[in-house]
Amino acid sequence: MSTLTPSEVRQPRWVPLLLLLATAALGVGLGYLLPPLARWLHGLLQRSPLPSLGPVELLAGLPLAWSVPILGGLGVVGGVLLALTTIGESLRLTVADDHLEHRTDDDEGWIERSDVTDVFRDGRHLVLLGSTGAPRARLDADTLRRAEIRAAFEAHGWPWRDADPHEGAYERWMDGRPGFSAAEHGLLRRRLAERKDAAAVAEVDDALATHGLAARVRDDRLQVRRVGAGGPHPATGGAAEGARGTQG
């Protein structure tokens, strides 16, 4: 039973507001700049054999009394959409003594404290490891303050680490390198190819965990390690027992 009120970690409120204001200001600025630029370009096209463009003519004839509110309004609309998208895509954490809740858009998850042995930041990601050393979750926390994340986990007694405790176990993977089965090589190829698709990465990491593997990307190169007690090193080969994993 939790003894401390759960800690909420959210994206700073000023981030979507700043995006809204910046996009609106950009729209207003374009409202002032585009008509004179369009008139200059229209005159240049008239003196050349090139045909004049309809949008250029439209902007060239648009007075500032119209261009500023129109483009400024479009900037506001674009800013609102961008701010809402940023809010929806930002990771939200609820850290309690006995569990963690995480949400991004409509994707929600619950992780029991008893399933986690290590928590740390890995670049933009928040990583939670299970008892076998396999990633239990890899969450994109780029929009959250590092200090707030750490404070929340430490306040509730989670095992926060300053770095990956298995840092030295990773080796660079190369297609065809000895020590991996054909199925493992296939999954690792997919892991590297789909590294920018969070949903695909989570699916592949789960599959890799069943082979006793954990993977990550460094400088667009894939690194891998064996997980689980007694699991062989990637360079030495052999298959590890199945392990439970996550999401890169």
Side-chain angles (χ1 to χ4, degrees):
M1 179 69 68
S2 296
T3 59
L4 187 67
T5 302
S7 300
E8 306 283 340
V9 185
R10 301 289 187 268
Q11 173 182 255
R13 294 181 179 179
W14 57 263
V15 173
L17 179 60
L18 180 61
L19 290 173
L20 170 59
L21 294 176
T23 308
L26 177 61
V28 172
L30 291 176
Y32 278 104
L33 295 175
L34 283 183
L37 180 62
R39 284 191 287 271
W40 171 81
L41 181 58
H42 180 60
L44 188 64
L45 290 173
Q46 283 185 325
R47 295 190 296 271
S48 73
L50 298 175
S52 183
L53 302 175
V56 173
E57 293 183 2
L58 178 62
L59 283 173
L62 202 61
L64 290 180
W66 284 94
S67 65
V68 173
I70 289 175
L71 292 177
L74 290 176
V76 170
V77 172
V80 169
L81 294 176
L82 182 59
L84 292 176
T85 300
T86 302
I87 293 172
E89 292 181 348
S90 176
L91 176 66
R92 283 153 284 177
L93 300 175
T94 301
V95 186
D97 292 353
D98 58 352
H99 74 279
L100 167 70
E101 298 172 46
H102 59 87
R103 179 176 179 180
T104 305
D105 284 329
D106 295 326
D107 183 19
E108 296 180 299
W110 178 296
I111 300 174
E112 289 289 323
R113 165 65 183 85
S114 58
D115 294 338
V116 176
T117 58
D118 302 282
V119 186
F120 58 93
R121 282 294 295 260
D122 181 21
R124 64 184 293 151
H125 293 99
L126 173 68
V127 181
L128 295 89
L129 300 183
S131 59
T132 65
R136 180 66 180 79
R138 180 181 294 271
L139 308 171
D140 189 344
D142 193 45
T143 60
L144 305 183
R145 292 190 180 99
R146 292 172 177 261
E148 288 187 11
I149 295 176
R150 176 173 183 166
F153 278 99
E154 288 185 335
H156 292 276
W158 288 66
W160 182 267
R161 313 298 181 202
D162 292 329
D164 188 341
H166 302 282
E167 182 68 31
Y170 281 95
E171 296 253 347
R172 178 184 169 189
W173 170 79
M174 289 179 283
D175 201 355
R177 179 177 179 173
F180 301 94
S181 68
E184 290 170 347
H185 275 301
L187 287 172
L188 291 168
R189 281 193 296 271
R190 184 182 168 198
R191 178 62 165 78
L192 182 61
E194 298 184 348
R195 60 189 178 277
K196 296 182 180 180
D197 185 335
V201 165
E203 182 181 342
V204 177
D205 278 354
D206 278 339
L208 285 171
T210 65
H211 289 266
L213 293 174
R216 68 183 188 184
V217 174
R218 287 291 185 277
D219 299 324
D220 281 335
R221 297 182 183 277
L222 192 67
Q223 296 181 346
V224 62
R225 65 176 173 86
R226 293 283 176 183
V227 301
H233 195 275
T236 62
E241 291 295 324
R244 182 77 181 95
T246 105
Q247 314 187 4

